[in-house]
Amino acid sequence: MTHDQVKEIVLNIIKVVAPDADVSDLKGDVRLRDQLEMDSMDFLDIVMELRKRYKIEVPKEDYPRLASLDGCAEYLTPRLQGVAVS
Amino acid sequence: MSTADRIVITGVGLTSPIGDSLETLRANLLGGVAGISTIETRFMGEVFAGVCRYDERKYQKAKERRRGTRVGSIAIYCAGEAVARAGLDSGGLDLSRVGVYLGVTEHGTVETENEIDVIRQFDYDTKYWSHHHNPRTVANNPAGEVTLNMGITGPHYTLGAACAAGNAGLIQGVQMLRLGEVDVALSGGVSESIHSFGIFASFASQNALAVGGDPAQASRPFDKTRNGIVVSEGGCVFVLERLPDALRRDAGILAEVVGYGMNSDASDPVMPNTERQVQCIALALERAGIEPGDIDLVSTHATSTEVGDAREAAAIRQVFGDYHNVYVNNTKSFIGHAMGAAGALELAGNLGSFADQVVHPTINVRELDPECAIRNLVLNEPHRVEKVDFVLNNSFGMLGINSVVVVKRYVA
């Protein structure tokens, strides 16, 4: 799975977690919370969706690595190998 | 009573199985339109239910709705409509002086059942239990969601009062206004009960759930063939203000809340108590400073159960039996039992009678249960009367909680 495919996975989750948000022009290297109206509960929703959809466990100490789309891609790509893109 | 202690209703927002505004509710009550359908409920299959259709997005963003509860959504819609109808939505409202007091029959069962269903799909691993469960299930949830949505910084809480809750919410608002705690009260009741299988299953186990036949005729209080309750969702929020405040801003006044009573049966967890109902009605009349014969219309609580309907009928006969001018009706025959919202919705459904002098009927009565015979019980067709100046609204609930409200037509 490529970084772009992983970003797509994260964006699809964000669309569910923040349904009012415009995610069409998100910058990859800027913190998601600086671009979207998101709080810690929303972030926990992202973690939960990763768990439910892809069986990925993100330990609390790794949460900062999911701060931006680029960070998500870097952190999640190795963990999503072998997962079929829906 | 000083003028400042006189409390008036200046706005109503509601959603019910037969309409999402005061006008549509009234039109359907006068038109004989019942709003019961069938829904699929977890583990039980099809059940009768009263379902609300309103615009969830009118006052709430999709994300707020996703994080919150159905009953929070209902409360936000009703509160938004009520404030708009009261003309208080254009600014100038001191949000620190607004209180939100909403009656609920129960809260949290829907959300807990949903979460159990989620973790069931993951072999009951509680890692999949939502972090939203606690904020969704705290008992103040629906009232709290209203404050978050509207930026209200005054007090908020729900009143757990079983099926007497709609009146209880209204009464709390009246009391808080009289105490000077707030200047505007958003008061009433809300329910999301149809989304819980547990409430259906429990009524079924109690042999108190309506089953069989045409959904539109499933809720039939006072009918000899009735076989139980139809559970509904709904909400109704009143804007309450002190009379001088309402007059100062030239608000439209829908009614004055002149009396109320609340008491407890202290006799049985589920079986109602005629004597205590009589005492509760008497208390409300006393506070209103009127006699039974001053009431023009009694809005009954009757839920379409054998014992409950008969015991309330006995209470009404005892208090009002000597008076030829007192008419009696029932709204659950149209909308089912909206639980925490019931008392408030049923009061709202009758407010129109101040203007049109028509008493909407209790429908679906093919054969009146002799135990429920009440003078001037308006059956199946609306009835025009000479005047409606006072409406008395009954609302009773499990654990023996009774609430009665008396409202008066406002004359400037």
Side-chain angles (χ1 to χ4, degrees), chain B residues 50 82 89 109 113 135 172 197 222-223 253 268 285 296 303 337 343 347 378-379 387 389 402:
Chain B
D89 56 339
T109 54
E113 288 176 13
Q172 185 75 16
F197 77 88
F222 308 125
D223 184 77
I253 296 174
D268 189 273
L285 292 172
D296 302 290
T303 64
H337 191 343
L347 178 63
V378 178
L379 299 174
K387 68 171 182 69
D389 288 336
N402 305 311

Side-chain angles (χ1 to χ4, degrees), chain B residues 140-271:
Chain B
N140 58 315
N141 171 277
E145 284 204 35
V146 170
T147 62
L148 285 167
N149 176 268
M150 300 179 87
I152 291 168
T153 59
H156 83 264
Y157 44 88
T158 55
L159 294 99
C163 302
N167 272 355
L170 180 67
I171 291 166
Q172 185 75 16
V174 170
Q175 293 170 330
M176 287 299 132
L177 283 162
R178 284 181 178 162
L179 284 171
E181 294 287 322
V182 293
D183 295 331
V184 171
L186 303 182
S187 285
V190 288
S191 175
E192 62 177 4
S193 292
I194 64 166
H195 304 281
S196 155
F197 77 88
I199 195 162
F200 291 97
S202 187
F203 278 134
S205 296
Q206 206 187 331
N207 298 313
L209 186 70
V211 291
D214 176 5
Q217 295 177 7
S219 182
R220 44 183 191 278
F222 308 125
D223 184 77
K224 198 166 189 324
T225 68
R226 66 198 182 283
N227 65 17
I229 290 168
V230 172
V231 182
S232 297
E233 63 176 353
C236 180
V237 173
F238 298 100
V239 172
L240 303 178
E241 299 175 75
R242 288 180 288 267
L243 178 62
D245 294 339
L247 292 176
R248 196 175 303 119
R249 65 181 194 87
D250 202 21
I253 296 174
L254 297 165
E256 178 176 354
V257 185
V258 292
Y260 63 84
M262 287 194 73
N263 69 354
S264 306
D265 291 345
S267 53
D268 189 273
V270 292
M271 291 301 174

Side-chain angles (χ1 to χ4, degrees), chain B residues 222 297-300 327-331 350 359-362 377-378:
Chain B
F222 308 125
L297 167 55
V298 174
S299 164
T300 62
Y327 287 83
V328 180
N329 73 359
N330 180 277
T331 304
N350 280 296
V359 177
H360 75 256
T362 183
L377 177 60
V378 178

Side-chain angles (χ1 to χ4, degrees), chain A residues 16-20 37-42 44-45 48-49 51-52 55 57, chain B residues 57 61-64 66-67 115 118 121-122 126-132 135:
Chain A
V16 172
V17 173
D20 307 298
E37 203 176 300
M38 291 180 71
D39 59 20
S40 60
M41 294 292 269
D42 296 320
L44 288 173
D45 270 322
M48 179 68 88
E49 288 303 311
R51 181 183 296 138
K52 283 182 179 173
K55 305 286 181 206
E57 278 304 326
Chain B
R57 290 288 93 75
K61 287 181 178 173
K63 183 170 133 181
E64 268 186 273
R66 180 181 175 277
R67 284 170 63 144
E115 288 309 312
V118 168
Q121 297 163 49
F122 298 96
T126 55
K127 272 192 315 198
Y128 295 91
W129 190 273
S130 176
H131 47 287
H132 296 299

Side-chain angles (χ1 to χ4, degrees), chain B residues 10-17 19-22 25 52-60 70-86 89 100-103 142 145-146 149-150 152 185-192 233-240 338 340-342 344-345 348:
Chain B
T10 57
V12 181
L14 63 86
T15 182
S16 79
D20 59 2
S21 70
L22 199 57
L25 174 65
C52 293
R53 290 171 187 82
Y54 62 96
D55 182 0
E56 280 196 335
R57 290 288 93 75
K58 189 166 181 181
Y59 299 103
Q60 192 178 30
R70 171 70 170 176
V71 72
S73 158
I74 286 171
I76 286 166
Y77 175 81
C78 294
E81 289 285 281
V83 166
R85 293 304 184 93
D89 56 339
V100 183
Y101 311 107
L102 300 181
E145 284 204 35
V146 170
N149 176 268
M150 300 179 87
I152 291 168
L186 303 182
S187 285
V190 288
S191 175
E192 62 177 4
E233 63 176 353
C236 180
V237 173
F238 298 100
V239 172
L240 303 178
L345 271 178

